Amino acid sequence: MWADADAKVDYLNFSEVAELAAEMVGTERLLPLSLGIFGTWGTGKSTVLNLMRGELSQHKDKFLFVEFDAWLHQDYDDARAALMSVIAKALLDEAPEGLREKARSLFKRTNKLRVLGYAAEGAAAFWGVPTFGLIRKGVEGLGDILSGDANEEDVKAIEEGAKDAKIKSEGLITPETKKSPPEEIVAFRQEFGEVLSGLGKTLVVLIDNIDRCTPPNTIHTLEAIRLFLFLPRTAFVIAADEDMVRHAVATHFKNPSLRLVEDYLDKLIQVPIRVPKLGVQDVRAYMLLLFAEASGAKGDRLEQLRAFLVDQLRQAWKPDAKFGVDDVLSILKPDDPTTLRSALDLADRMAPLLAYSANVNGNPRIIKRMLNVVRMRASVARKRKMELDESVIAKLALFERCTDAKAVDALHTAINASAGKPDFLATLESGRIDGDQVTEGCPPEILKHIDFVRDWAALEPTLSEVDLRPAVYLARETVPLRATAAKMSEAALRAIDVLRQVRTEASPTAKTAIESIATEERAVMEALIRRMRLNPEWSRPRDDFRGAVLLARANEDAGKMLASFVSSLGEKPPRWMTMMSGKAKEA
């Protein structure tokens, strides 16, 4: 199995992109700089951030790094205030003795801005500030100031909000230091610049997961960059899906012009860098590395293989640049070359289909997840003593991933109705099908994907002489999810996505999602459990399990399903899971 996590080692030849980004950030004459790492879900944006930081970290004395996960603060904090605080805290921690007092003043000033109504009530409570008097008008007024649209009424509303909240009694704003909100913001910018100048380092702020946030939080995070922190010796590197950010702009500003939607991000990001789409050779190299890693290769030999493949990809423009299974085996020198060759051969043959399929499109995260499904099923097959080769499982999983639910259902129905060996498979594998010719006995749901199916059928191993019923049985853990998903309401499908990404048990987004599925709790829990099974890593608290716990609290039947799932894991659950599950039982 492979961990579904952001990589810190380059398996995808993304080092070129990371090196380009690092070179720009490290060029002082380009500062201040805002740089965008753009790509869709799963394409490797976070990996590029990690690699870029690795490049810059070779010069630790020149850079101060701040990582900001906008999604992490979404449910309980104002994104603008949170970003300011995270950066101010980093400067305070880094400041030497002679600069520490000014850095401490900067950090305190971020608290003042929160108290003045800049943060949501939940954040104010977190900082120990009484919130019973904070009025919404004050919050909106400061929002106008930050956006450059303030007037006297806004300033007055904020000051009244501060007075109502009894801020003076907390000692955060004293008569000696009291300033109006606009003055506080100007003072914050000035102190920020002075502290950063005193440190003599370039501040590099890495912002990730901004495209997972709600539209207001997405916009507020971007505004914080523009309004507060765009000062000399700063570089902001933002990983995002451009389309998701533009959707946030369109939603937040309520039917803006098309030009505003297009220009908003372009004006904020000086240099856009797009994560390159993987081609066939990139996918081949990626899969060969994944299978080599899974075979137990590690240390110097795995690193030697990685360096070789990345170098070959960089030389791909040359006619004589090539690599294959033999190269991998010669570098790794495995104890059991026959078994590894079989796995590598399959990976090598699957690569073109994964690169070109519209349902995969070379997406590295989708590839890894599909391979994890294969490994999971192969493990179950061994435990149940099924005589089923992993290459057969992989070929069927490829069919599932690259077609659709109707085609998968049609294939499984045909397998079960023919003692595991549908006649049309032999015809497909023989290559006796041209153009749109309808193969006798082949379901139309499958023929709809004939271009893919033709290439898929040509892959080794052949399936026509294999009893495929055990493989269909194994697929029950994942395939029904696709069939069920087609029958779910839009609210249920959205709830699944939300509940798989719950960062805090107080998430209002999760609460709203659960309330929207009044009659589909069991189906949603079933989908959550099926997806959780794909990742066997339970050593640390997981967002998807937290979402399942929230659903279990809201519905008794869903709670029983979750309890059954925890029991099925076999080993003693980790402490964090026991505590989280215990809360669900109490509820």
Side-chain angles (χ1 to χ4, degrees):
M1 302 288 283
W2 296 270
D4 188 9
D6 307 325
K8 292 181 172 59
V9 179
D10 185 17
Y11 276 19
L12 295 159
N13 191 29
F14 282 171
S15 292
E16 286 185 319
V17 178
E19 289 165 7
L20 174 63
E23 182 179 342
M24 286 187 284
V25 171
T27 304
E28 288 193 23
R29 63 182 175 78
L30 296 180
L31 302 178
L33 175 70
S34 59
L35 191 153
I37 305 295
F38 294 147
T40 56
W41 174 88
T43 52
K45 301 184 296 296
S46 299
T47 295
V48 172
L49 282 185
N50 289 335
L51 295 173
M52 186 199 74
R53 175 168 183 168
E55 284 289 320
L56 293 173
S57 294
Q58 299 177 39
H59 311 281
K60 294 182 180 179
D61 58 325
K62 294 182 60 177
F63 302 99
L64 171 60
F65 297 98
V66 174
E67 295 184 358
F68 183 77
D69 188 329
W71 190 34
L72 183 64
H73 297 270
Q74 173 169 278
D75 291 325
Y76 65 89
D77 205 351
D78 180 282
R80 292 168 295 193
L83 181 55
M84 290 167 56
S85 292
V86 168
I87 293 176
K89 181 64 166 60
L91 294 176
L92 176 59
D93 292 342
E94 185 74 10
E97 191 59 38
L99 196 61
R100 198 160 185 77
E101 192 57 39
K102 188 175 289 292
R104 188 176 291 111
S105 174
L106 175 68
F107 185 68
K108 289 180 178 179
R109 200 175 297 280
T110 64
N111 289 353
K112 292 178 185 179
L113 288 170
R114 288 175 179 272
V115 173
L116 284 169
Y118 189 23
E121 289 199 9
F126 177 79
W127 286 100
V129 177
T131 61
F132 45 81
L134 258 176
I135 57 175
R136 179 170 296 277
K137 180 60 179 175
V139 177
E140 294 173 351
L142 190 49
D144 288 339
I145 288 173
L146 302 179
S147 302
D149 300 323
N151 54 33
E152 291 183 7
E153 182 181 351
D154 290 314
V155 175
K156 183 178 179 181
I158 295 164
E159 291 174 342
E160 289 177 354
K163 181 179 179 181
D164 290 344
K166 301 183 180 180
I167 291 173
K168 290 182 180 179
S169 66
E170 296 298 306
L172 290 171
I173 298 180
T174 66
E176 294 77 17
T177 60
K178 181 180 178 183
K179 293 182 173 67
S180 69
E183 290 172 330
E184 286 288 351
I185 293 168
V186 171
F188 174 87
R189 288 174 56 86
Q190 181 176 344
E191 281 189 345
F192 176 85
E194 291 172 355
V195 172
L196 195 55
S197 177
L199 288 174
K201 294 185 176 183
T202 296
L203 175 68
V204 183
V205 184
L206 308 175
I207 300 178
D208 202 0
N209 286 332
I210 191 173
D211 44 15
R212 291 187 178 187
C213 294
T214 59
N217 277 277
T218 298
I219 300 303
H220 290 169
T221 302
L222 295 174
E223 285 178 350
I225 300 169
R226 176 172 58 88
L227 294 168
F228 290 106
L229 308 171
F230 208 66
L231 292 170
R233 298 186 70 89
T234 60
F236 287 83
V237 186
I238 304 164
D241 181 334
E242 287 177 283
D243 291 338
M244 294 298 291
V245 173
R246 290 196 168 101
H247 168 72
V249 174
T251 303
H252 181 73
F253 292 105
K254 296 180 174 55
N255 299 319
S257 67
L258 180 61
R259 180 171 181 177
L260 173 62
V261 173
E262 292 294 326
D263 288 354
Y264 187 91
L265 192 59
D266 294 338
K267 289 180 178 179
L268 182 68
I269 302 298
Q270 293 170 303
V271 182
I273 297 179
R274 288 171 177 80
V275 178
K277 179 181 179 297
L278 300 189
V280 174
Q281 300 293 25
D282 301 297
V283 174
R284 285 183 65 227
Y286 182 55
M287 293 185 68
L288 290 174
L289 276 166
L290 289 178
F291 275 85
E293 181 185 41
S295 73
K298 53 187 176 181
D300 292 342
R301 287 187 179 177
L302 184 61
E303 173 55 26
Q304 185 181 349
L305 174 62
R306 187 198 69 79
F308 167 75
L309 291 174
V310 168
D311 181 66
Q312 291 302 302
L313 290 175
R314 292 189 177 194
Q315 304 295 323
W317 58 275
K318 296 181 178 179
D320 58 344
K322 59 182 179 179
F323 58 88
V325 172
D326 288 336
D327 296 307
V328 176
L329 294 172
S330 67
I331 293 172
L332 295 181
K333 298 179 174 58
D335 295 332
D336 183 5
T338 302
T339 300
L340 181 56
R341 177 182 287 278
S342 177
L344 293 174
D345 282 337
L346 178 63
D348 212 24
R349 291 191 299 269
M350 289 171 62
L353 298 182
L354 292 171
Y356 293 135
S357 167
N359 287 0
V360 180
N361 207 24
N363 185 299
R365 180 162 288 169
I366 293 176
I367 291 171
K368 188 183 288 185
R369 289 187 174 185
M370 193 201 78
L371 295 179
N372 277 336
V373 170
V374 173
R375 282 296 163 96
M376 177 189 66
R377 292 181 185 175
S379 176
V380 173
R382 286 192 297 271
K383 291 177 181 178
R384 299 186 182 182
K385 295 182 172 52
M386 294 179 176
E387 294 184 2
L388 198 61
D389 191 87
E390 186 170 343
S391 61
V392 172
I393 298 172
K395 187 170 179 178
L396 289 172
L398 181 64
F399 184 92
E400 293 172 30
R401 183 68 251 184
C402 297
T403 58
D404 58 26
K406 291 183 179 179
V408 174
D409 287 344
L411 177 60
H412 288 180
T413 298
I415 289 171
N416 288 328
S418 59
K421 300 177 182 179
D423 292 336
F424 64 83
L425 281 181
T427 305
L428 287 171
E429 290 173 348
S430 71
R432 295 194 304 271
I433 177 169
D434 299 315
D436 295 328
Q437 174 188 349
V438 178
T439 303
E440 183 178 354
C442 186
E445 295 88 351
I446 293 176
L447 288 174
K448 186 176 69 173
H449 304 276
I450 191 59
D451 289 338
F452 162 79
V453 170
R454 184 188 294 109
D455 294 334
W456 171 80
L459 287 176
E460 293 291 337
T462 57
L463 303 180
S464 55
E465 296 302 318
V466 179
D467 184 349
L468 298 175
R469 286 174 294 182
V472 173
Y473 173 79
L474 283 175
R476 78 190 191 287
E477 290 293 333
T478 50
V479 174
L481 176 62
R482 300 182 64 172
T484 303
K487 303 173 186 176
M488 283 185 179
S489 67
E490 288 296 322
L493 295 174
R494 285 195 299 271
I496 293 169
D497 288 336
V498 169
L499 294 176
R500 291 178 61 221
Q501 306 175 74
V502 177
R503 292 295 182 92
T504 169
E505 294 182 30
S507 168
T509 308
K511 180 181 178 182
T512 301
I514 292 171
E515 290 174 349
S516 71
I517 54 169
T519 61
E520 298 180 273
E521 291 91 344
R522 285 183 59 85
V524 170
M525 179 61 82
E526 183 180 1
L528 288 172
I529 290 172
R530 282 175 176 152
R531 297 197 182 194
M532 284 193 290
R533 288 188 189 278
L534 300 183
N535 181 3
E537 174 56 51
W538 295 103
S539 61
R540 295 182 297 176
R542 285 173 41 172
D543 298 342
D544 53 1
F545 190 83
R546 185 178 293 110
V549 167
L550 294 181
L551 180 57
R553 293 178 189 173
N555 181 272
E556 184 178 355
D557 288 341
K560 292 178 180 177
M561 294 173 68
L562 182 61
S564 177
F565 167 66
V566 172
S567 298
S568 72
L569 295 177
E571 300 178 359
K572 183 180 178 181
R575 179 177 173 79
W576 69 263
M577 183 183 290
T578 302
M579 293 178 64
M580 205 179 287
S581 301
K583 291 179 182 179
K585 292 176 183 177
E586 292 171 9

